[in-house]
Amino acid sequence: MPLKFTLNGNQVSLEGVPGEATLLEVLRQRLDMLGAKEGCGVGECGACTVLLDGKAVDSCLTAAWQAAGREVTTVEGLAQGDELHPMQKGFADTGAVQCGFCTPGMILTALDLVEQAPEPSEQQIRRAMSGNLCRCTGYHDVVRGVRRGAKYLRGEGEEQ
Amino acid sequence: MSRFLTPASLPEALDALAQPGAKVLAGGTDLMISLRQARMNGDELPELLVDITRLPELQRLELEGPGCYLGAGLTFRFLDENPDARQRVPVLSQAASMVGSMQVRQTGTIGGNVANGSPAADGMSALVALDAVAEIASREGVRHCPLSELITAPNKTTLTSGELILGYAITPPPAPAGQVFLKVGRRHEVAVSRLNLAACLDRDLSDPRVVLGSCFPSPRRLVDVEELIKGGKPGPELWQAAGEMAAGHFTYVCGWRSSATYKVPAITRITARALQRAWAGLEARS
Amino acid sequence: MSLGQSLIRVGTEAKVRGETRYGFDMPQAGDLHLACVRAPKAPAKILSIDPAPAMTIPGVVRVFTAKDVPGEHRLGIIAVTRDQEFMAPGWVRQPYQCVALVAAETLEAARAGARAVQVEYDNQPGVYSFEEAMAPDAPLVQPEHAGGNLLRENKIKQGDTEAALKDAAVVVEATYTTERVEHCALEVEGGRAWWEDGRVMVKACTQNPHYDQADLARFLGVEENQVRVIQAETGGGFGGKLDLSVQPFLALAAWHLKRPVCLRYSREESIRATGKRHGLWMHFISGADEQGNITALKARISGDTGAFASYGLAVNQRAAVHATGPYRTANVDVIARMAYTNNTFNGAMRGFGCPQVALAHEAQIDAIAAELGLDSFDLRKQNALRQGDHTSTGQLLRAGVGLSACLERIEPIYRRWQAELKHTDEYLEGVGVGAMFYGIGNTGASNPSTAQVQWMQNGRVTLFTGAADIGQGSDTALMQIAASRLGLPMERIDLCRGDTDKTTNAGATSASRQTYISGNAVMGAVANLEMQLLQGARDMLKERHLEVDLRGGVLRTADGREIEPAEVVRHLAKSGARVMGEGRFDPNFTALDPQTGQGRPYAAYAYAAQCARVRVDTASAMVKVTDVAAAHDVGRAVNPRSVQGQICGGVVMGVGMALMEEYEQGRTENLQAYHIPTAADAPNITPLIVEDPEPSGPYGAKGVGEPALIPTAPAIAGAVSQALGRPMRHLPISLERVMQALTAAEGETDCED
């Protein structure tokens, strides 16, 4: 039986996916979605975060088959052609990106957060982002990036 | 290689679980880690993974009236965010909010948390405080088991293969305002509990509950401490005495290990702090 | 001019799109996968290695052992201590050392093969601490090393320390310790190698592609040009990707098999197989006069480098050189000793020993202030190194000494926080200060960088650099320097980076050196390019004595004509010439005297001062760092946003070091057990940039990467000490240590320390 789900708006169908395969493996190895990273393999670092039906999950802790019939969003599904997603733009504009390895996961977690809290407080941001480890930024600019992305999403200020 | 099954109904799930080598996937946050380890070590994988996350029977939430019930499939994120849960069983909502990361809370469930039997499971301490009795089903039928009897040793339970926790009948303490959950970890979020404590008080001190977790093979209610509180006069002296008794209980059960130099004073202080806050919560409501 | 502007870093868009391909992302379909067989215990003799069981596993292609190493077994970044065997030749010196390497068609087969290889060990007695290593008749970890188990002793001697301590109005003495720390870059090590045109190509994450090339060539026993190293995008390093990691395995397998191979560490393997920050033991005796002027420091420092030296020499020397902290100290007697043991090796990590000694020098100045009843902040200002002062190595600081300015920037914040301090039933607050100086570049050693800048016929300019950007932002900084020096907008600059075929050696991305040293190399390359353009313009116009200069990206003659440089480039191209400027910079230094440690080890120093405010929970003993203000003298901020980003990142790494990070071999080997700070553990940070231009720096710039981290842990330790009313001298300041101090403070039990 093929595993079918929606990936970034497109139907995918995969044969021969074993039960123990993680969603992360399938995304990276079968679907060439390399934006999701493996930083620990045990659900601590959040570099593998993707959205499953709009909610942030660690794809290393999610069996690929759990995605069956659902919608999976990876970082590759955010930009519209040349136009970055507002959250991507928020991260870029605030210098929230240094080495960038944690960035895709960060952006997806942030999207889940702002879906619930369109104008999140600093404390809400810090708490929500605490499942996404970063060793470069000290989170200072990540907090600003989430804020700025939320602002862009609300259609406010494209300030320089 | 494991097969994967997403049963459409509870009977189908129980049939599947009756097969040898079947394993429950209740959320995956613990199971997937153990599968990864098994794959790295070349250990045998479960024959069949049974994904119970889509069974509606496991999603029940009843918090009014005498038959309060929590489905085993409820996730920590749900319990953290659900207004009814926050209002009626804040001790559980608070505990749920402190489990792992937002991503882990999104998929981790109170069923999986208990079945995994970790001594440090935050959700379990809160469930014990709610006097949870697990409803456990198998193809043979249903049995009920208080949580305190379900866990026998760290990561060991009386669950046999083929059994599935459906949910928990709970008896919430009378006063939601008097419920407090405290957790100590080595960092402020996404940490394994070094110790956790659930404290529930009501104004008459008629049904106090004090549960200490991450200190014993499984979280346990400190009955002697609860007795002390029942007969006591609410105030700092009582909370301090309760804390000292809690620490004494820990020393009695676990002996004086190296971890005790931290844990004994920490249990004393955290217990007193939790009780004081629980009482303050009640005062604020009156 | 782009210099000094907070431009969005190059590569950012690809990163937010998830399109950046890191070393970790290198594996491609059809690659062979590699897996290492690692020894469980050390030391041990390897009695036999039987690959046969592995070879029966479907998909396993080959098992390599030390016998398959065609060149030198012993590799290492510091030439005099080249001692790391990537394939253990008959003897295992440290746990997790690789004894065999399996290549297979799939990752699963490679791992199964690695488990199946039969290795017979004969365990030997070993040494597992500095003390054991130094004991008479201790078994030798590296018998080849001339000094027994003592890797190195570094001395700094200045003045008459014993006399000065005798005359001091106050003498404070204490022992400080720090533990081993894991870099924990989010990207674990990974890469790919293949065979092309009779050469081995290696594309992996790294902090130093040209060093990798040299050591891989040595490993394979070939000329350097037989190995091409391409730096893959690197997801953080912090010193952890300075030593070779996956590269020797990749190169060896590709060399033998002539097929593409890939290897990626799991987080566990990454933690086990790569170096750590050294834990140091530090005994400090400081003397001061009645006014609080520091007069003497006697310090004894010891450390354990594990079984391989890695950067042990650099850490030991830097710890000694920086032991006084950024304070005038006329009489100095420092001895730092580093030993080999059979533990997993320690190497470079952000600061090379300075974050460790900073704990001690900052607590000492607090202790002097307390003894004398003086204000510890004032004491720092009073003793702060200033222009015209000499360091403990006798180096005269001629210019660019911005420490006082840093202290002045944080002082109002510090005073405000002190005034706001609160103690309640539930928590205690404290404020602490950390200050530091940090020599940019390698210590008392040549560490040149080279760069090229080429003006293309299409009018664009390409900057060639071997400097590895690992996320810290050197690509952008170097391009900003080039653009500004050329008078061009950034958009006109292209970058070619980190490919040993196309770029030349820029040295390691370490020691906070790339902005200063490679930045200077870029400045030199542009100057050289400019000279070629001017000469070319005269040649093109056939006016040998034409007065012309390059301004705003255009050649302008004295008589008002404007010439596009690309025209000159095209003109010169006709005769086959290209217009490529070459630059090279090696900081001005002298080697340190081996007996006294006197000399001029660095051309430039960065300075910083930070203060931290903490809240200690009296029930749980958990410490929350609520705020940090961090002032850094960077000489000149090439990209202020990037500088602030480095500062904030360093501060939070310092929070980890101060409160929670401790690598315990065999215990904290995944991210569930080894904790680094989350967003919720990070304080509010106020990054403050101080610019006291360094005359020898590009546009006055120095460096900030390591300085960002160094003062944080001491500031936190000082803050917790104030909150608890007891000195916290041991890192990490764990729950256990805080609880012990809390209970001791309340007289519940005796404090052991």
Side-chain angles (χ1 to χ4, degrees):
Chain A
M1 194 176 65
L3 167 61
K4 293 183 184 176
F5 58 89
T6 308
L7 174 63
N8 299 326
N10 303 312
Q11 273 297 317
V12 295
S13 177
L14 298 167
E15 293 290 343
V17 176
E20 72 274 14
T22 63
L23 181 57
L24 177 63
E25 285 175 270
V26 165
L27 288 171
R28 289 184 60 91
Q29 293 166 19
R30 302 283 303 268
L31 297 164
D32 206 30
M33 293 288 118
L34 298 183
K37 309 296 184 191
E38 181 176 312
C40 69
V42 294
E44 285 284 320
C45 78
C48 67
T49 301
V50 300
L51 299 182
L52 189 59
D53 286 344
K55 298 289 188 184
V57 298
D58 290 320
S59 63
C60 77
L61 294 187
T62 306
W65 283 93
Q66 283 177 272
R70 294 195 158 131
E71 242 177 84
V72 177
T73 307
T74 68
V75 72
E76 290 89 345
L78 298 182
Q80 304 279 328
D82 286 347
E83 190 70 22
L84 290 180
H85 186 284
M87 190 56 78
Q88 290 174 313
K89 198 163 155 36
F91 271 63
D93 289 354
T94 49
V97 182
Q98 291 193 24
C99 89
F101 198 78
C102 70
T103 305
M106 288 267 184
I107 289 173
L108 291 160
T109 302
L111 284 177
D112 182 349
L113 167 69
V114 300
E115 181 68 29
Q116 284 207 309
E119 217 166 327
S121 68
E122 171 159 353
Q123 204 197 343
Q124 279 178 306
I125 296 172
R126 288 190 181 275
R127 191 161 168 256
M129 303 306 291
S130 65
N132 292 79
L133 296 177
C134 170
R135 197 61 151 166
C136 295
T137 63
Y139 307 105
H140 180 86
D141 289 335
V142 170
V143 172
R144 294 177 60 241
V146 176
R147 267 221 181 108
R148 184 77 67 88
K151 198 170 169 188
Y152 292 163
L153 273 166
R154 298 194 303 270
E156 295 167 28
E158 287 269 323
E159 87 258 44
Q160 289 306 300
Chain B
M1 207 171 99
S2 306
R3 287 181 297 122
F4 196 94
L5 179 75
T6 309
S9 68
L10 183 57
E12 192 192 339
L14 296 177
D15 280 345
L17 286 172
Q19 299 175 32
K23 194 117 182 115
V24 177
L25 188 150
T29 53
D30 288 317
L31 177 72
M32 296 309 287
I33 294 175
S34 65
L35 292 183
R36 173 178 180 267
Q37 201 57 50
R39 292 166 71 184
M40 297 245 253
N41 297 343
D43 297 339
E44 211 172 313
L45 294 172
E47 190 70 24
L48 176 68
L49 301 174
V50 183
D51 177 5
I52 56 160
T53 58
R54 302 188 198 204
L55 293 177
E57 290 90 338
L58 272 56
Q59 303 295 326
R60 272 172 65 199
L61 175 73
E62 282 159 39
L63 295 173
E64 297 299 332
C68 288
Y69 191 88
L70 299 165
L74 297 176
T75 66
F76 293 112
R77 185 153 177 202
F78 175 86
L79 291 165
D80 173 19
E81 294 171 359
N82 180 270
D84 291 340
R86 293 178 78 128
Q87 205 183 359
R88 193 73 187 85
V89 282
V91 70
L92 180 61
S93 287
Q94 290 171 35
S97 77
M98 296 179 200
V99 172
S101 60
M102 186 166 84
Q103 291 93 317
V104 166
R105 291 193 290 274
Q106 176 62 31
T107 44
T109 61
I110 50 171
N113 200 224
V114 168
N116 196 48
S118 161
D122 297 319
M124 195 145 60
S125 296
L127 286 170
V128 170
L130 298 176
D131 244 348
V133 176
E135 185 187 15
I136 299 162
S138 69
R139 226 161 40 164
E140 279 67 51
V142 172
R143 71 178 171 106
H144 295 89
C145 179
L147 278 201
S148 49
E149 292 166 27
L150 191 61
I151 318 289
T152 53
N155 306 102
K156 292 248 182 328
T157 67
T158 65
L159 290 172
T160 58
S161 59
E163 284 191 323
L164 176 66
I165 303 176
L166 298 181
Y168 310 95
I170 56 167
T171 313
Q179 298 183 17
V180 168
F181 186 88
L182 294 181
K183 165 177 174 167
V184 185
R186 294 200 181 272
R187 62 184 173 196
H188 288 84
E189 290 281 347
V190 202
V192 174
S193 278
R194 191 88 171 78
L195 67 90
N196 61 48
L197 193 110
C200 306
L201 295 179
D202 55 273
R203 289 202 63 89
D204 305 332
L205 300 184
S206 63
D207 184 8
R209 308 203 190 158
V210 178
V211 180
L212 181 58
S214 209
C215 291
F216 311 112
S218 70
R220 59 170 74 181
R221 277 183 75 166
L222 305 180
V223 180
D224 47 353
V225 176
E226 294 176 359
E227 287 301 319
L228 174 80
I229 294 169
K230 269 185 205 168
K233 177 173 164 290
E237 290 80 25
L238 181 58
W239 316 143
Q240 179 66 24
E244 281 164 18
M245 187 179 269
H249 188 84
F250 168 77
T251 318
Y252 175 74
V253 173
C254 302
W256 193 266
R257 291 186 255 173
S258 63
S259 64
T261 32
Y262 170 74
K263 282 203 167 167
V264 166
I267 292 168
T268 310
R269 289 151 182 254
I270 289 285
T271 306
R273 169 80 54 89
L275 290 167
Q276 177 258 319
R277 282 199 191 164
W279 186 253
L282 290 168
E283 301 265 86
R285 279 295 171 91
S286 60
Chain C
M1 162 155 141
S2 63
L3 199 108
Q5 286 184 19
S6 290
L7 302 178
I8 295 178
R9 292 174 178 203
V10 296
T12 294
E13 177 158 346
K15 287 175 179 175
V16 297
R17 284 175 176 271
E19 287 170 358
T20 305
R21 296 292 169 257
Y22 299 85
F24 180 85
D25 297 315
M26 286 300 119
Q28 294 181 14
D31 286 358
L32 289 174
H33 291 258
L34 304 180
C36 296
V37 179
R38 296 189 179 274
K41 276 188 183 168
K45 275 185 192 153
I46 301 171
L47 299 179
S48 66
I49 301 177
D50 181 8
M55 294 304 296
T56 65
I57 291 169
V60 171
V61 172
R62 175 97 184 247
V63 177
F64 300 100
T65 66
K67 289 201 293 283
D68 299 299
V69 176
E72 291 173 33
H73 287 274
R74 292 160 71 78
L75 307 178
I77 185 121
I78 297 181
V80 295
T81 54
R82 214 172 263 149
D83 61 8
Q84 184 172 3
E85 294 118 346
F86 279 81
M87 300 289 274
W91 184 270
V92 178
R93 299 179 205 268
Q94 67 149 63
Y96 309 130
Q97 195 174 350
C98 181
V99 298
L101 177 71
V102 178
E105 299 291 347
T106 64
L107 177 60
E108 290 68 31
R111 285 187 177 158
R115 289 190 299 268
V117 171
Q118 291 291 312
V119 187
E120 210 185 334
Y121 298 101
D122 178 13
N123 293 323
Q124 302 288 319
V127 289
Y128 303 96
S129 68
F130 177 86
E131 290 70 28
E132 286 177 24
M134 291 291 97
D137 307 322
L140 295 180
V141 178
Q142 290 272 0
E144 301 85 343
H145 177 69
N149 283 336
L150 182 69
L151 171 65
R152 181 63 63 89
E153 179 174 272
N154 283 103
K155 294 185 214 161
I156 310 285
K157 304 270 181 200
Q158 192 178 73
D160 185 345
T161 304
E162 293 302 331
L165 285 173
K166 214 153 88 189
D167 295 344
V170 58
V171 172
V172 294
E173 177 170 3
T175 300
Y176 304 87
T177 59
T178 67
E179 298 299 330
R180 304 175 68 187
V181 175
E182 158 65 19
H183 308 79
C184 216
L186 258 283
E187 184 210 20
V188 290
E189 295 76 10
R192 183 172 189 261
W194 64 98
W195 181 258
E196 191 178 305
D197 302 330
R199 300 195 300 160
V200 171
M201 312 280 156
V202 178
K203 188 168 184 181
C205 61
T206 180
Q207 295 183 231
N208 197 348
H210 287 83
Y211 154 69
D212 294 357
Q213 179 193 30
D215 246 5
L216 293 178
R218 213 170 274 127
F219 193 54
L220 297 177
V222 299
E223 294 297 317
E224 281 186 18
N225 62 15
Q226 294 300 101
V227 178
R228 176 180 176 187
V229 172
I230 305 164
Q231 186 216 353
E233 286 298 325
T234 301
F238 314 108
K241 291 170 183 169
L242 283 169
D243 298 292
L244 291 167
S245 59
V246 293
Q247 301 96 319
F249 305 123
L250 290 167
L252 183 72
W255 174 260
H256 281 285
L257 299 171
K258 312 284 187 265
R259 282 186 61 179
V261 296
C262 63
L263 172 58
R264 237 165 28 189
Y265 285 166
S266 64
R267 177 59 67 182
E268 291 85 344
E269 189 168 19
S270 171
I271 292 180
R272 289 170 184 149
T274 65
K276 300 283 163 284
R277 180 191 294 293
H278 295 75
L280 292 185
W281 175 92
M282 299 164 284
H283 187 76
F284 273 50
I285 308 171
S286 309
D289 65 21
E290 272 165 22
Q291 289 75 44
N293 299 306
I294 297 173
T295 53
L297 170 68
K298 180 174 178 179
R300 297 293 178 263
I301 300 166
S302 61
D304 160 10
T305 206
F308 306 121
S310 177
Y311 276 89
L313 289 185
V315 168
N316 201 54
Q317 190 164 37
R318 249 191 206 276
V321 166
H322 292 80
T324 56
Y327 307 113
R328 266 185 314 283
T329 312
N331 302 287
V332 180
D333 169 10
V334 178
I335 301 177
R337 306 171 86 206
M338 185 69 80
Y340 281 114
T341 69
N342 294 108
N343 294 320
T344 58
F345 75 98
N346 298 311
M349 183 173 176
R350 207 174 195 171
F352 292 97
C354 293
Q356 293 95 315
V357 294
L359 173 73
H361 62 64
E362 292 307 295
Q364 288 291 101
I365 200 160
D366 284 341
I368 291 168
E371 285 286 320
L372 292 169
L374 297 172
D375 179 276
S376 68
F377 201 97
D378 288 342
L379 223 56
R380 285 182 170 86
K381 288 196 292 184
Q382 183 181 325
N383 287 284
L385 285 170
R386 286 187 218 116
Q387 196 169 319
D389 284 340
H390 288 82
T391 67
S392 67
T393 72
Q395 179 170 0
L396 170 65
L397 299 173
R398 293 173 191 279
V401 187
L403 179 60
S404 297
C406 290
L407 286 164
E408 278 162 29
R409 286 295 292 280
I410 64 164
E411 182 165 9
I413 299 170
Y414 170 82
R415 300 285 177 209
R416 192 176 77 236
W417 289 351
Q418 283 289 6
E420 289 170 358
L421 275 188
K422 253 174 82 179
H423 286 0
T424 72
D425 285 346
E426 300 209 342
Y427 61 81
L428 307 169
E429 287 186 338
V431 180
V433 183
M436 68 112 234
F437 74 135
Y438 187 81
I440 301 296
N442 297 5
T443 309
S446 169
N447 65 130
S449 175
T450 56
Q452 296 80 34
V453 178
Q454 184 176 10
W455 206 296
M456 303 297 188
Q457 294 189 43
N458 63 7
R460 296 187 65 80
V461 170
T462 304
L463 166 63
F464 296 85
T465 174
D469 192 326
I470 57 173
Q472 88 284 21
S474 57
D475 284 355
T476 311
L478 296 178
M479 287 168 77
Q480 282 183 269
I481 289 170
S484 299
R485 180 70 179 76
L486 285 161
L488 291 178
M490 274 285 273
E491 296 73 42
R492 289 270 296 277
I493 314 282
D494 297 309
L495 181 74
C496 176
R497 172 253 282 173
D499 180 336
T500 58
D501 266 13
K502 296 179 177 167
T503 64
T504 56
N505 200 342
T509 292
S510 74
S512 303
R513 59 185 288 287
Q514 292 297 16
T515 299
Y516 175 67
I517 299 179
S518 288
N520 267 326
V522 170
M523 294 286 277
V526 174
N528 182 240
L529 172 79
E530 189 175 11
M531 197 190 71
Q532 293 176 35
L533 281 175
L534 302 187
Q535 194 55 46
R538 290 181 196 113
D539 188 59
M540 186 174 83
L541 298 173
K542 302 192 171 56
E543 295 177 50
R544 276 179 60 190
H545 301 292
L546 181 71
E547 272 188 52
V548 58
D549 62 10
L550 180 69
R551 264 181 300 136
V554 178
L555 293 162
R556 294 166 206 269
T557 63
D559 55 5
R561 283 173 288 168
E562 292 191 357
I563 308 156
E564 279 299 323
E567 256 184 80
V568 177
V569 174
R570 288 191 290 269
H571 165 75
L572 292 172
K574 287 179 208 150
S575 53
R578 58 180 187 176
V579 182
M580 184 189 255
E582 297 272 349
R584 182 180 189 279
F585 182 79
D586 195 5
N588 188 6
F589 73 96
T590 63
L592 297 182
D593 181 277
Q595 288 314 309
T596 64
Q598 297 299 294
R600 208 167 59 244
Y602 313 101
Y605 291 85
Y607 300 85
Q610 298 183 359
C611 56
R613 172 153 70 170
V614 305
R615 186 171 277 192
V616 182
D617 185 296
T618 52
S620 66
M622 283 177 82
V623 177
K624 167 77 185 163
V625 183
T626 55
D627 305 272
V628 170
H632 287 259
D633 169 22
V634 298
R636 177 80 194 271
V638 176
N639 184 321
R641 164 64 38 214
S642 260
V643 170
Q644 290 174 349
Q646 285 287 294
I647 292 172
C648 295
V651 164
V652 173
M653 195 177 270
V655 170
M657 180 180 175
L659 299 182
M660 64 187 81
E661 296 189 37
E662 178 173 4
Y663 170 63
E664 294 176 78
Q665 216 167 281
R667 273 205 59 230
T668 55
E669 295 184 338
N670 66 22
L671 293 194
Q672 288 181 306
Y674 189 89
H675 280 179
I676 64 171
T678 70
D681 298 287
N684 289 312
I685 303 166
T686 309
L688 301 164
I689 295 174
V690 170
E691 296 184 311
D692 190 337
E694 163 56 42
S696 67
Y699 292 101
K702 299 190 277 201
V704 72
E706 291 157 298
L709 162 94
I710 294 168
T712 310
I716 293 169
V720 177
S721 302
Q722 187 187 30
L724 296 172
R726 323 208 135 221
M728 300 305 285
R729 298 179 179 132
H730 307 283
L731 300 187
I733 302 171
S734 59
L735 294 173
E736 289 76 7
R737 286 182 168 133
V738 174
M739 185 60 85
Q740 193 183 26
L742 270 172
T743 51
E746 292 167 18
E748 291 178 22
T749 62
D750 291 329
C751 186
E752 282 163 22
D753 183 68

